[in-house]
Amino acid sequence: MKKILFLVIAITTISCQNSTPKCDDPEVLKTILQIFKENNIEIMYADGYGSVKGDTLSSANTKITDILTTKKDNDLNSCGCEGKLSIESKYISKELEYKNGEFHQAEIGVEKTSIREGLMQYTAQRNSENELIVKVENVEPLTLKSNK
């Protein structure tokens, strides 16, 4: 009985090594955020009115959702992935007020939140040392989805 149990544990351990990562693995998603931050990657807005810098992103304001596996290669321990990148930004908006027959910028601003989204493609792979390698292939310009 001990030999069978040892064999099952050994097979499980061996089969878990160098396994192909999944597109939605938390380690993969965390690595993508690190890539944006460490390289200060600029992500453009689709409307042409700005961008967001990678060093401002955090797990609190950045999400990758609607993740799809577009290809998988078990021999190379790699997968191709696509997901929706969502970035939430807070800002102070000073509305125009109408006083004494003229428009003036309000003295007190109102905190607002905008959410911008765009598709991104990336690959994830485990090398022979079982290290995770992630490559961001493409990030489409972000479109405004919500402005509260």
Side-chain angles (χ1 to χ4, degrees), residues 21 25 27-29 31 124-127 130-134:
D25 281 347
E27 186 181 7
V28 171
L29 302 178
T31 303
Q125 182 174 10
R126 291 225 179 257
N127 66 14
N130 205 31
E131 298 169 325
L132 178 65
I133 300 167
V134 175

Side-chain angles (χ1 to χ4, degrees), residues 27-137:
E27 186 181 7
V28 171
L29 302 178
K30 181 180 172 185
T31 303
I32 291 170
L33 186 57
Q34 286 176 328
I35 291 169
F36 285 133
K37 289 179 71 80
E38 290 174 9
N39 296 292
N40 200 20
I41 293 174
E42 185 174 21
I43 304 167
M44 301 302 296
Y45 295 157
D47 58 15
Y49 292 111
S51 63
V52 63
K53 293 281 193 165
D55 64 354
T56 64
L57 303 181
S58 71
S59 58
N61 71 351
T62 307
K63 305 283 183 253
I64 301 171
T65 59
D66 300 341
I67 298 169
L68 300 172
T69 302
T70 56
K71 62 183 172 184
K72 187 172 182 179
D73 187 331
N74 289 328
D75 291 335
L76 295 176
N77 295 324
S78 69
C79 58
C81 313
E82 182 174 289
K84 180 171 48 175
L85 176 67
S86 300
I87 300 173
E88 179 180 283
S89 302
K90 296 191 182 301
Y91 63 96
I92 302 295
S93 174
K94 292 190 176 182
E95 310 275 326
L96 290 178
E97 298 177 326
Y98 189 73
K99 288 183 184 177
N100 303 325
E102 295 181 355
F103 284 102
H104 300 277
Q105 192 156 3
E107 292 182 27
I108 299 175
V110 177
E111 185 175 283
K112 294 195 172 195
T113 302
S114 69
I115 298 174
R116 293 183 181 263
E117 298 177 339
L119 290 179
M120 64 177 294
Q121 292 82 32
Y122 57 98
T123 57
Q125 182 174 10
R126 291 225 179 257
N127 66 14
S128 59
E129 287 82 37
N130 205 31
E131 298 169 325
L132 178 65
I133 300 167
V134 175
K135 181 178 179 184
V136 175
E137 303 285 342

